């Protein structure tokens, strides 16, 4: 069977009309973000992609804009699942700072211990930034993670 899934999420701040005084910030200065994911699966294999964008408000000095795009491939067996995902991210830590690019790759897996409980884990490697800064040093990041997933 072929299955296709599309999810999206939009987060936009709204003005507070419950106060008698006018709001201090206009809607153009409030943060907004959106995220779109698409997944296509067939016979245990799945290809998924995602795009997300975060725009801080104009008055935010420490919150920079961020855009990311990811592509992944996964396979699901009877009680287990494995995935490989690559991510490209562009953003800045400060609002008026130049944009930085970072790339990462992740290999993960999960094993279903019970129908509603699974153990997860994986490794993630993030390449060093192209042009390092004081806030984003010239260093690659490696991480190993373990966890659980519950379904209610």
């Amino acid at each position: 069977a072929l299955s296709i899934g599309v999810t999206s999420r939009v987060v936009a701040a709204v003005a507070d009309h419950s106060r008698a005084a006018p709001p201090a910030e206009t809607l153009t200065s409030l943060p907004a973000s959106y995220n779109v994911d698409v997944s296509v699966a067939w016979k245990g294999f799945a290809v998924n992609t995602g795009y997300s964008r975060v725009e801080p408000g104009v008055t935010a000095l420490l919150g920079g804009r961020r855009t990311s795009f990811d592509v992944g491939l996964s396979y699901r067996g009877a009680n287990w699942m494995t995935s490989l995902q690559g991510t490209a991210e562009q953003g800045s830590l400060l609002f008026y700072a130049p944009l930085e690019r970072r790339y990462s790759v992740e290999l993960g897996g999960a094993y279903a211990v019970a129908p509603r409980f699974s153990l997860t884990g994986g490794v993630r490697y993030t390449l060093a930034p192209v042009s390092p800064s004081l806030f984003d040093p010239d260093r690659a990041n490696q991480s190993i993670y373990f966890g659980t997933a519950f379904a209610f």
Side-chain angles (χ1 to χ4, degrees):
L2 175 69
S3 62
I4 299 174
V6 177
T7 61
S8 66
R9 189 182 100 184
V10 177
V11 177
V14 296
D16 184 11
H17 296 293
S18 64
R19 295 180 284 169
E25 296 178 319
T26 62
L27 285 177
T28 58
S29 65
L30 296 174
S33 68
Y34 61 89
N35 182 12
V36 177
D37 294 316
V38 176
S39 180
V40 177
W42 184 67
K43 289 192 177 185
F45 287 97
V47 176
N48 53 355
T49 61
Y51 178 79
S52 64
R53 184 176 181 94
V54 176
E55 286 287 338
V58 177
T59 58
L61 295 175
L62 295 178
R65 60 197 176 278
R66 188 158 301 280
T67 303
S68 67
F69 178 76
D70 55 71
V71 175
L73 176 66
S74 63
Y75 182 77
R76 179 176 299 273
N79 291 333
W80 59 276
M81 191 263 316
T82 185
S83 65
L84 177 66
Q85 181 172 335
T87 303
E89 185 175 339
Q90 179 175 312
S92 63
L93 293 174
L94 300 174
F95 186 71
Y96 295 107
L99 295 176
E100 297 285 332
R101 288 189 180 167
R102 294 203 67 155
Y103 302 98
S104 64
V105 63
E106 179 178 340
L107 177 65
Y111 180 76
V113 178
R116 296 182 178 266
F117 177 73
S118 63
L119 301 174
T120 61
V123 293
R124 181 181 302 128
Y125 181 76
T126 304
L127 296 171
V130 176
S131 55
S133 67
L134 179 63
F135 298 108
D136 203 6
D138 185 17
R139 206 174 129 215
N141 296 328
Q142 307 90 20
S143 60
I144 298 174
Y145 61 91
F146 296 102
T148 59
F150 294 98
F152 294 102

